[in-house]
Amino acid sequence: MRDNIVLWWILTGFFALMGVTYTVWNIIDHPDRPIVTAIEWVGTVALFFATFMAAMIAFYLDRTHKAQGGSLPEDILTSDIDDGDPELGEFSPWSWWPIVLAGSAAVGAIALAVGEFLFPVALAIFVVAIVGWVYEYYRGHFAR
């Protein structure tokens, strides 16, 4: 895991170096123009944006690695299954509500393409899916 973080910081430095090189090269290539028009702005902004995004990923991975106290057993290739935490939470493999929720997102996406009259339908399906998913253990066969 630590090697990946170092690689992301190296990638950040590479993008920064390429952004500076690209910008200076454009200024040198067009000596007859003012600096503002000599710079090719699309490539310059894209390279510095890639620098910023790689730095964000490197910073996030570094902070997450420090917060969890090092590498987890899931991140180590030589660890066994038993090395990890056996309690991962409570899951409902029989639940249909995530599929209904995905259907509401699909209807919402279709509403963007077809027309806004479908948004209330998507919202209604969304509300039903969320309420059903939250309360699935409080009614029927699985009630406690």
Side-chain angles (χ1 to χ4, degrees), residues 1 11 24 39 44 65 78-79 85:
M1 181 66 176
L11 189 63
V24 171
I39 297 173
T44 300
H65 189 261
T78 58
S79 64
D85 186 14

Side-chain angles (χ1 to χ4, degrees), residues 1-13 50-66:
M1 181 66 176
R2 199 75 188 138
D3 297 337
N4 292 337
I5 297 170
V6 171
L7 288 176
W8 276 104
W9 283 118
I10 291 172
L11 189 63
T12 301
T51 301
F52 176 68
M53 294 299 288
M56 281 190 352
I57 292 171
F59 178 75
Y60 172 77
L61 289 175
D62 192 35
R63 297 297 297 166
T64 304
H65 189 261
K66 287 179 183 174

Side-chain angles (χ1 to χ4, degrees), residues 10-57:
I10 291 172
L11 189 63
T12 301
F14 172 76
F15 280 136
L17 178 67
M18 288 301 107
V20 169
T21 304
Y22 186 78
T23 304
V24 171
W25 197 315
N26 276 312
I27 292 170
I28 292 171
D29 194 40
H30 302 290
D32 54 334
R33 297 185 189 172
I35 290 180
V36 176
T37 58
I39 297 173
E40 199 277 314
W41 287 103
V42 175
T44 300
V45 170
L47 282 168
F48 285 116
F49 185 71
T51 301
F52 176 68
M53 294 299 288
M56 281 190 352
I57 292 171

